[in-house]
Amino acid sequence: MKVVLKSIQDKLATIPALKYVDEDWGQLDDYSPHPPTQFPLALIDIGSLQYSDIGRDRTATPQNRQMATGTIVISIANLKLTNTSARAPQTQKNQAWAIWDIVESVHAELHGIVVGGSAGAMMRTAMRKVKRDDGIQEYEVTYTIGVSNV
């Protein structure tokens, strides 16, 4: 999975709008009001993996081979310092809506790509808003991935 996470990080690092791209080790948890990051950001984590046995290969280590299907979660966050009220100045609204451009850029970089190793293509399967009370606007985008012969 190290190859998968590193490959995703390398892909996301090409998005100019992202100031911080890293594995999610809790940077947005319990650090309010000053998380150890820059904004906007993308954090990468393995949501879950389920393994199934596919047989034995006596030439490999370990000999028992498996397939895995699971999720990769990309947390995309930005400080939301302005609102998008209908009467707000347009430049203010543009700044407040910026996270959606980043979500789309992340999707354009990741959806359908093969991220290396024995992993298949990443396919977006879900997105959810994370409710926060600290001015950070956060969305989690979930991708499904398959890994063979592990």
Side-chain angles (χ1 to χ4, degrees):
M1 292 314 298
K2 176 182 170 183
V3 171
V4 170
L5 293 172
K6 179 72 172 107
S7 178
I8 294 168
Q9 183 181 38
D10 291 345
K11 286 297 248 179
L12 294 180
T14 66
I15 299 173
L18 291 172
K19 303 275 190 264
Y20 184 88
V21 178
D22 197 1
E23 184 177 8
D24 188 344
W25 47 264
Q27 296 94 317
L28 297 179
D29 304 331
D30 302 323
Y31 287 101
S32 188
H34 304 291
T37 64
Q38 294 179 0
F39 291 95
L41 63 80
L43 300 176
I44 309 155
D45 202 3
I46 297 169
S48 67
L49 291 170
Q50 293 80 40
Y51 293 91
S52 60
D53 293 329
I54 60 172
R56 297 185 84 163
D57 181 350
R58 294 189 191 284
T59 64
T61 302
Q63 291 182 2
N64 292 328
R65 309 292 14 187
Q66 293 183 307
M67 291 188 69
T69 302
T71 58
I72 304 290
V73 178
I74 310 296
S75 296
I76 302 163
N78 198 12
L79 288 174
K80 185 158 182 168
L81 303 174
T82 60
N83 69 55
T84 52
S85 165
R87 298 197 189 271
Q90 189 60 47
T91 55
Q92 178 177 320
K93 289 195 284 190
N94 291 346
Q95 289 173 348
W97 291 111
I99 195 165
W100 293 108
D101 295 329
I102 296 169
V103 168
E104 186 57 36
S105 295
V106 167
H107 178 64
E109 284 296 323
L110 297 182
H111 187 71
I113 67 155
V114 176
V115 289
S118 59
M122 293 180 56
M123 302 304 277
R124 181 177 59 183
T125 54
M127 184 171 115
R128 77 177 191 95
K129 179 176 181 51
V130 177
K131 295 270 188 184
R132 302 185 62 94
D133 63 1
D134 57 5
I136 296 173
Q137 185 179 25
E138 181 181 1
Y139 292 89
E140 291 179 347
V141 183
T142 302
Y143 291 85
T144 298
I145 191 167
V147 184
S148 62
N149 206 24
V150 291

